Amino acid sequence: MSAILYLLPNLISQSIENSGIPEYNYQVIRKLKHFIVESRKPVNHLLKLAGVKTPFEGINFYEYNEHSNENEIEGIIIPLLKGEDMGLVSDAGYPAIADPGEKIILAAHHHHIRVVPLSGPSSILLALTASGLNAEQFVFHGYLPVKPHQRKLFLQKIENESFKSGYTQIFMDTPYRNQAVFKELIAILKPETWLCVAMELFGNTEKINTLPVKEWKKLSFQPEKKNVVFLLNAGKSSQSS
Amino acid sequence: MSAILYLLPNLISQSIENSGIPEYNYQVIRKLKHFIVESRKPVNHLLKLAGVKTPFEGINFYEYNEHSNENEIEGIIIPLLKGEDMGLVSDAGYPAIADPGEKIILAAHHHHIRVVPLSGPSSILLALTASGLNAEQFVFHGYLPVKPHQRKLFLQKIENESFKSGYTQIFMDTPYRNQAVFKELIAILKPETWLCVAMELFGNTEKINTLPVKEWKKLSFQPEKKNVVFLLNAGKSSQSS
């Protein structure tokens, strides 16, 4: 009667050549009858890659996302409480990283249900490792403030923090604002600050580059309206290289 | 003549059932003739899992670790500069996360060599996703200060920061100090602060639990002398659950 909540990372691009999903995850997926999902479509794709036959007969899906109410959680995890394993899958990457899945996980801990995380692609971590910036100490800020003035103050604040602490600063924005954000970054940041732009990881147009802001200014680069992770570091630990 | 530096995550436990390594990574490994390693043994194991035949004839290994000098980097990346792909592998998990590999990666960017990160297990990210704590904003601090007095001040500082910002605080220590650190944590932190202990991920004794400090105090729990990731959050965003 001891059920497991499996945390299943989802694809971060539609590339089939490199899904970034270990074979073990597919084995687990094929055994599960209950999936808590952020939305259906990206999870259908993962199940098909795992070899689960459509129309997914006998498999139950439970939606939990930003529009959900915390009161729904106890109803969603009933299978776990009855002793049946469940999988938690978000639209892309790791569940609970930049989506509300953490509330499901905390509820599982509260009920002493075993939580088993499986490995897979995370654009944050892939961008960090590929950036060449300090990855021994870092901060992930999630999405940038929407209002331009607040965003500017925020970027200056985290640049200053990275200068003092050496911690790499990681953040994202919605794809349609990437070009505006990039323009702001190279206008606002100090010339010597390192900036990494990691674009569409695992996709056909994957592009990852780390340069001081003064070098970025010389290029005619503009990020596409795709998933981008930005990283910056004005501290010693990266400049010493 | 455009070479690629592949970033290859390594196993985080010796469990064969779930290596956490995608099949695609093994395909890449089988094509490579040059590996930059933190040390040999953990990489030999990965190559064997990929099906590379010992005694690894025609494969070259280049060590780069905490004892290395930055002056060695230009010599190590000669194959890349000549147009031959290389793989960067650390002893466990992602290269450059909590090891000096980032200097190799920054050198590659400097020479306009394409850096391609592959996915795999990272104890930091697995612990974060499984903790149920705020994973939309978080800080990774690396290893704790060694001196007890400094460690205590540091833990109080990050608890206070998490209370103000809601950012989850992540850190590690060397296995033999785990028990002392855990004892300090439950003595120093506030009763309502959430503490997650994620022990030996993917190993036979994997154990992940998130509880308020006052609940941890009621248990007779002691972490083993194995790899542990600690996470804490005294902020609203986790307490709202």
Side-chain angles (χ1 to χ4, degrees), chain A residues 148-167:
Chain A
H149 179 65
Q150 287 180 350
R151 195 158 66 222
K152 185 180 170 183
L153 289 177
F154 180 81
L155 292 171
Q156 286 172 327
K157 187 182 78 142
I158 66 175
E159 181 186 35
N160 191 36
E161 279 173 15
S162 76
F163 181 75
K164 286 189 291 184
S165 67
Y167 282 43

Side-chain angles (χ1 to χ4, degrees), chain B residues 8 34 63 66 68 108 125 168 182-183 188 211 227 231 234:
Chain B
L8 299 160
H34 303 280
E63 281 195 14
E66 54 181 350
S68 307
L125 207 68
T168 295
F182 179 75
K183 219 169 152 182
I188 292 168
L211 293 168
N227 291 322
L231 305 94

Side-chain angles (χ1 to χ4, degrees), chain A residues 20 95 109 119 129-130 140-141 167, chain B residues 20 95 109 119 129-130 138 140-141 167:
Chain A
H109 284 300
S119 88
T129 188
F140 176 66
H141 296 285
Y167 282 43
Chain B
H109 285 299
S119 88
T129 188
F138 59 89
F140 177 65
H141 296 284
Y167 282 44

Side-chain angles (χ1 to χ4, degrees), chain A residues 8 28 63 70 73 127 130 134 143 168 171 190 196 225-226:
Chain A
L8 300 161
V28 169
E63 282 196 13
E70 280 184 46
I73 293 174
N134 181 13
Y143 291 88
T168 295
F171 49 93
K190 292 174 183 138
C196 176
K225 289 176 188 173
K226 294 188 171 167

Side-chain angles (χ1 to χ4, degrees), chain A residues 128 134-139 165-169 233 237, chain B residues 140-143:
Chain A
L128 176 65
N134 181 13
E136 298 183 47
Q137 289 152 326
F138 58 89
V139 189
S165 67
Y167 282 43
T168 295
Q169 313 285 316
N233 199 319
S237 47
Chain B
F140 177 65
H141 296 284
Y143 291 88

Side-chain angles (χ1 to χ4, degrees), chain A residues 7 17-25 27 70 94-100 102-103 105-106 109-110 112 114-122 124-143 154 167 194 196 201-203 206 208-211 237-241, chain B residues 7 17-25 27 70 94-100 102-103 105-106 109-110 112 114-122 124-143 154 167 194 196 201-203 206 208-211 237-241:
Chain A
L7 310 182
E17 188 193 17
N18 182 13
S19 70
I21 310 283
E23 177 56 31
Y24 181 83
N25 299 27
Q27 291 172 21
E70 280 184 46
Y94 273 70
I97 313 279
D99 79 60
E102 73 231 33
K103 298 195 189 302
I105 298 163
L106 207 56
H109 284 300
H110 175 72
H112 303 284
R114 194 171 157 212
V115 175
V116 172
L118 300 188
S119 88
S122 153
I124 300 163
L125 207 68
L126 291 164
L128 176 65
T129 188
S131 71
L133 300 177
N134 181 13
E136 298 183 47
Q137 289 152 326
F138 58 89
V139 189
F140 176 66
H141 296 285
Y143 291 88
F154 180 81
Y167 282 43
W194 291 94
C196 176
L201 293 159
F202 285 14
E206 177 179 286
I208 307 162
N209 216 336
T210 304
L211 293 168
S237 47
S238 57
Q239 286 180 328
S240 66
S241 293
Chain B
L7 310 183
E17 188 193 17
N18 182 13
S19 71
I21 310 284
E23 177 56 31
Y24 181 84
N25 299 27
Q27 292 172 22
E70 280 184 47
Y94 274 68
I97 314 279
D99 78 62
E102 72 229 32
K103 298 194 189 303
I105 299 163
L106 206 57
H109 285 299
H110 176 73
H112 303 284
R114 194 172 158 210
V115 175
V116 173
L118 300 189
S119 88
S122 153
I124 300 163
L125 207 68
L126 290 165
L128 176 64
T129 188
S131 71
L133 300 178
N134 181 14
E136 299 184 45
Q137 290 153 325
F138 59 89
V139 189
F140 177 65
H141 296 284
Y143 291 88
F154 180 81
Y167 282 44
W194 291 93
C196 175
L201 293 158
F202 285 13
E206 177 178 286
I208 307 163
N209 215 337
T210 303
L211 293 168
S237 46
S238 57
Q239 285 178 329
S240 67
S241 293

